[in-house]
PDB file of all heavy atoms in Angstrom:
ATOM      1  N   VAL A  14     -11.342  -9.100 -20.642  1.00  0.00           N
ATOM      2  CA  VAL A  14     -10.836  -9.798 -21.816  1.00  0.00           C
ATOM      3  C   VAL A  14      -9.730 -10.752 -21.419  1.00  0.00           C
ATOM      4  O   VAL A  14      -9.687 -11.884 -21.879  1.00  0.00           O
ATOM      5  CB  VAL A  14     -10.337  -8.795 -22.877  1.00  0.00           C
ATOM      6  CG1 VAL A  14      -9.580  -9.499 -23.979  1.00  0.00           C
ATOM      7  CG2 VAL A  14     -11.511  -8.025 -23.456  1.00  0.00           C
ATOM      8  N   ILE A  15      -8.834 -10.307 -20.543  1.00  0.00           N
ATOM      9  CA  ILE A  15      -7.743 -11.172 -20.110  1.00  0.00           C
ATOM     10  C   ILE A  15      -8.296 -12.407 -19.419  1.00  0.00           C
ATOM     11  O   ILE A  15      -7.896 -13.522 -19.701  1.00  0.00           O
ATOM     12  CB  ILE A  15      -6.775 -10.413 -19.175  1.00  0.00           C
ATOM     13  CG1 ILE A  15      -5.991  -9.385 -19.992  1.00  0.00           C
ATOM     14  CG2 ILE A  15      -5.816 -11.373 -18.474  1.00  0.00           C
ATOM     15  CD1 ILE A  15      -5.222  -8.392 -19.153  1.00  0.00           C
ATOM     16  N   ILE A  16      -9.254 -12.220 -18.526  1.00  0.00           N
ATOM     17  CA  ILE A  16      -9.845 -13.354 -17.816  1.00  0.00           C
ATOM     18  C   ILE A  16     -10.551 -14.277 -18.797  1.00  0.00           C
ATOM     19  O   ILE A  16     -10.413 -15.484 -18.750  1.00  0.00           O
ATOM     20  CB  ILE A  16     -10.807 -12.876 -16.721  1.00  0.00           C
ATOM     21  CG1 ILE A  16     -10.014 -12.208 -15.607  1.00  0.00           C
ATOM     22  CG2 ILE A  16     -11.624 -14.038 -16.159  1.00  0.00           C
ATOM     23  CD1 ILE A  16     -10.857 -11.438 -14.618  1.00  0.00           C
ATOM     24  N   MET A  17     -11.306 -13.702 -19.731  1.00  0.00           N
ATOM     25  CA  MET A  17     -12.075 -14.505 -20.677  1.00  0.00           C
ATOM     26  C   MET A  17     -11.169 -15.236 -21.656  1.00  0.00           C
ATOM     27  O   MET A  17     -11.503 -16.308 -22.116  1.00  0.00           O
ATOM     28  CB  MET A  17     -13.068 -13.619 -21.432  1.00  0.00           C
ATOM     29  CG  MET A  17     -14.199 -13.128 -20.555  1.00  0.00           C
ATOM     30  SD  MET A  17     -15.232 -11.866 -21.320  1.00  0.00           S
ATOM     31  CE  MET A  17     -15.547 -12.506 -22.920  1.00  0.00           C
ATOM     32  N   THR A  18     -10.003 -14.680 -21.990  1.00  0.00           N
ATOM     33  CA  THR A  18      -9.136 -15.313 -22.977  1.00  0.00           C
ATOM     34  C   THR A  18      -8.030 -16.148 -22.348  1.00  0.00           C
ATOM     35  O   THR A  18      -7.534 -17.062 -22.961  1.00  0.00           O
ATOM     36  CB  THR A  18      -8.498 -14.257 -23.911  1.00  0.00           C
ATOM     37  OG1 THR A  18      -7.756 -13.343 -23.130  1.00  0.00           O
ATOM     38  CG2 THR A  18      -9.549 -13.561 -24.728  1.00  0.00           C
ATOM     39  N   PHE A  19      -7.631 -15.852 -21.108  1.00  0.00           N
ATOM     40  CA  PHE A  19      -6.520 -16.557 -20.497  1.00  0.00           C
ATOM     41  C   PHE A  19      -6.841 -18.031 -20.262  1.00  0.00           C
ATOM     42  O   PHE A  19      -6.084 -18.894 -20.659  1.00  0.00           O
ATOM     43  CB  PHE A  19      -6.114 -15.900 -19.172  1.00  0.00           C
ATOM     44  CG  PHE A  19      -5.020 -16.639 -18.462  1.00  0.00           C
ATOM     45  CD1 PHE A  19      -3.722 -16.595 -18.940  1.00  0.00           C
ATOM     46  CD2 PHE A  19      -5.287 -17.408 -17.342  1.00  0.00           C
ATOM     47  CE1 PHE A  19      -2.707 -17.278 -18.302  1.00  0.00           C
ATOM     48  CE2 PHE A  19      -4.281 -18.098 -16.709  1.00  0.00           C
ATOM     49  CZ  PHE A  19      -2.985 -18.026 -17.193  1.00  0.00           C
ATOM     50  N   VAL A  20      -7.969 -18.303 -19.649  1.00  0.00           N
ATOM     51  CA  VAL A  20      -8.302 -19.690 -19.305  1.00  0.00           C
ATOM     52  C   VAL A  20      -8.429 -20.557 -20.557  1.00  0.00           C
ATOM     53  O   VAL A  20      -7.784 -21.601 -20.643  1.00  0.00           O
ATOM     54  CB  VAL A  20      -9.562 -19.753 -18.416  1.00  0.00           C
ATOM     55  CG1 VAL A  20      -9.981 -21.191 -18.183  1.00  0.00           C
ATOM     56  CG2 VAL A  20      -9.279 -19.050 -17.094  1.00  0.00           C
ATOM     57  N   PRO A  21      -9.228 -20.155 -21.574  1.00  0.00           N
ATOM     58  CA  PRO A  21      -9.282 -20.985 -22.780  1.00  0.00           C
ATOM     59  C   PRO A  21      -7.920 -21.113 -23.449  1.00  0.00           C
ATOM     60  O   PRO A  21      -7.584 -22.168 -23.971  1.00  0.00           O
ATOM     61  CB  PRO A  21     -10.258 -20.237 -23.686  1.00  0.00           C
ATOM     62  CG  PRO A  21     -11.059 -19.383 -22.777  1.00  0.00           C
ATOM     63  CD  PRO A  21     -10.159 -19.049 -21.634  1.00  0.00           C
ATOM     64  N   ALA A  22      -7.105 -20.051 -23.419  1.00  0.00           N
ATOM     65  CA  ALA A  22      -5.793 -20.100 -24.056  1.00  0.00           C
ATOM     66  C   ALA A  22      -4.892 -21.107 -23.365  1.00  0.00           C
ATOM     67  O   ALA A  22      -4.144 -21.834 -24.020  1.00  0.00           O
ATOM     68  CB  ALA A  22      -5.154 -18.717 -24.053  1.00  0.00           C
ATOM     69  N   VAL A  23      -4.954 -21.179 -22.039  1.00  0.00           N
ATOM     70  CA  VAL A  23      -4.137 -22.144 -21.306  1.00  0.00           C
ATOM     71  C   VAL A  23      -4.528 -23.558 -21.690  1.00  0.00           C
ATOM     72  O   VAL A  23      -3.682 -24.390 -21.999  1.00  0.00           O
ATOM     73  CB  VAL A  23      -4.256 -21.938 -19.778  1.00  0.00           C
ATOM     74  CG1 VAL A  23      -3.649 -23.113 -19.034  1.00  0.00           C
ATOM     75  CG2 VAL A  23      -3.577 -20.645 -19.382  1.00  0.00           C
ATOM     76  N   PHE A  24      -5.829 -23.836 -21.731  1.00  0.00           N
ATOM     77  CA  PHE A  24      -6.280 -25.169 -22.103  1.00  0.00           C
ATOM     78  C   PHE A  24      -5.914 -25.484 -23.542  1.00  0.00           C
ATOM     79  O   PHE A  24      -5.496 -26.586 -23.856  1.00  0.00           O
ATOM     80  CB  PHE A  24      -7.787 -25.332 -21.884  1.00  0.00           C
ATOM     81  CG  PHE A  24      -8.139 -25.420 -20.440  1.00  0.00           C
ATOM     82  CD1 PHE A  24      -8.903 -24.441 -19.846  1.00  0.00           C
ATOM     83  CD2 PHE A  24      -7.689 -26.466 -19.651  1.00  0.00           C
ATOM     84  CE1 PHE A  24      -9.222 -24.510 -18.502  1.00  0.00           C
ATOM     85  CE2 PHE A  24      -7.993 -26.539 -18.305  1.00  0.00           C
ATOM     86  CZ  PHE A  24      -8.758 -25.555 -17.731  1.00  0.00           C
ATOM     87  N   LEU A  25      -6.017 -24.513 -24.419  1.00  0.00           N
ATOM     88  CA  LEU A  25      -5.648 -24.706 -25.805  1.00  0.00           C
ATOM     89  C   LEU A  25      -4.166 -25.032 -25.921  1.00  0.00           C
ATOM     90  O   LEU A  25      -3.779 -25.936 -26.661  1.00  0.00           O
ATOM     91  CB  LEU A  25      -5.991 -23.454 -26.621  1.00  0.00           C
ATOM     92  CG  LEU A  25      -5.701 -23.535 -28.117  1.00  0.00           C
ATOM     93  CD1 LEU A  25      -6.516 -24.669 -28.748  1.00  0.00           C
ATOM     94  CD2 LEU A  25      -6.033 -22.225 -28.780  1.00  0.00           C
ATOM     95  N   CYS A  26      -3.323 -24.320 -25.180  1.00  0.00           N
ATOM     96  CA  CYS A  26      -1.885 -24.576 -25.226  1.00  0.00           C
ATOM     97  C   CYS A  26      -1.537 -25.960 -24.699  1.00  0.00           C
ATOM     98  O   CYS A  26      -0.608 -26.600 -25.178  1.00  0.00           O
ATOM     99  CB  CYS A  26      -1.127 -23.525 -24.425  1.00  0.00           C
ATOM    100  SG  CYS A  26      -1.131 -21.910 -25.214  1.00  0.00           S
ATOM    101  N   ILE A  27      -2.274 -26.409 -23.716  1.00  0.00           N
ATOM    102  CA  ILE A  27      -2.007 -27.745 -23.157  1.00  0.00           C
ATOM    103  C   ILE A  27      -2.393 -28.814 -24.164  1.00  0.00           C
ATOM    104  O   ILE A  27      -1.676 -29.788 -24.375  1.00  0.00           O
ATOM    105  CB  ILE A  27      -2.770 -27.942 -21.829  1.00  0.00           C
ATOM    106  CG1 ILE A  27      -2.174 -27.034 -20.765  1.00  0.00           C
ATOM    107  CG2 ILE A  27      -2.718 -29.402 -21.381  1.00  0.00           C
ATOM    108  CD1 ILE A  27      -2.993 -26.953 -19.501  1.00  0.00           C
ATOM    109  N   LEU A  28      -3.524 -28.632 -24.815  1.00  0.00           N
ATOM    110  CA  LEU A  28      -4.031 -29.638 -25.740  1.00  0.00           C
ATOM    111  C   LEU A  28      -3.391 -29.560 -27.123  1.00  0.00           C
ATOM    112  O   LEU A  28      -3.347 -30.531 -27.841  1.00  0.00           O
ATOM    113  CB  LEU A  28      -5.549 -29.496 -25.860  1.00  0.00           C
ATOM    114  CG  LEU A  28      -6.331 -29.692 -24.561  1.00  0.00           C
ATOM    115  CD1 LEU A  28      -7.796 -29.409 -24.782  1.00  0.00           C
ATOM    116  CD2 LEU A  28      -6.135 -31.104 -24.035  1.00  0.00           C
TER     117      LEU A  28
END
Side-chain angles (χ1 to χ4, degrees):
V14 169
I15 289 168
I16 291 168
M17 290 170 47
T18 59
F19 177 73
V20 174
V23 168
F24 287 115
L25 182 61
C26 289
I27 291 169
L28 299 175

